[in-house]
Amino acid sequence: MGMKNRNGGLVFSTETGRMCPECRQPVAECTCGQPERPAGDGVVRVSRETKGRKGKGVTLITGIPLKDKELKAYAKVLKAKCGTGGTVKDGVVEIQGDQRDLLVPLLEQKGWTVKKAGG
């Protein structure tokens, strides 16, 4: 049994809960609101940035060919290996501090082409 919305799409199912009216998938599996990032050139870039961070540097990793969920899980592994914090913003992994020398070999172990970029 389920309720229908004005457009005739299922909005709630007793089996799966709330449904997305756009793709008609369970809300937990909905891909409508996730931004599609353009495919990169296949190169993972590791750079350092201090701008706008009150002098505190972070290491940015761009171009990792993983979807958001896997990227967040992989970022957690990288943060643990570096022994520091970090985050994932718009497909870019930010790790606190200058961790480039530690991160490049870890990323290369995954079989990706890795380049140091920027200062």
Side-chain angles (χ1 to χ4, degrees):
M1 288 289 227
M3 298 183 318
K4 300 245 182 200
N5 69 1
R6 282 178 270 141
N7 300 335
L10 193 62
V11 293
F12 187 85
S13 167
T14 52
E15 290 177 26
T16 57
R18 291 193 58 77
M19 305 292 278
C20 173
E22 299 294 318
C23 65
R24 302 196 190 309
Q25 295 292 322
V27 171
E29 298 170 20
C30 172
T31 57
C32 295
Q34 294 179 357
E36 281 294 317
R37 283 189 291 280
D41 56 4
V43 177
V44 176
R45 288 183 170 77
V46 181
S47 60
R48 185 171 170 269
E49 185 178 282
T50 57
K51 231 178 202 171
R53 300 176 193 279
K54 299 179 183 168
K56 304 223 186 293
V58 296
T59 303
L60 301 177
I61 309 167
T62 57
I64 296 177
L66 296 173
K67 299 244 185 258
D68 285 349
K69 201 171 189 178
E70 294 94 31
L71 186 62
K72 286 183 181 184
Y74 187 57
K76 188 174 181 178
V77 171
L78 292 176
K79 291 186 291 186
K81 296 265 187 191
C82 293
T84 186
T87 187
V88 178
K89 292 181 185 172
D90 300 323
V92 177
V93 178
E94 296 182 8
I95 307 284
Q96 294 172 352
D98 185 359
Q99 307 289 342
R100 290 176 296 177
D101 294 335
L102 186 60
L103 290 169
V104 170
L106 290 173
L107 295 165
E108 287 174 338
Q109 284 175 6
K110 286 283 212 176
W112 297 322
T113 304
V114 182
K115 290 184 180 177
K116 283 188 182 181

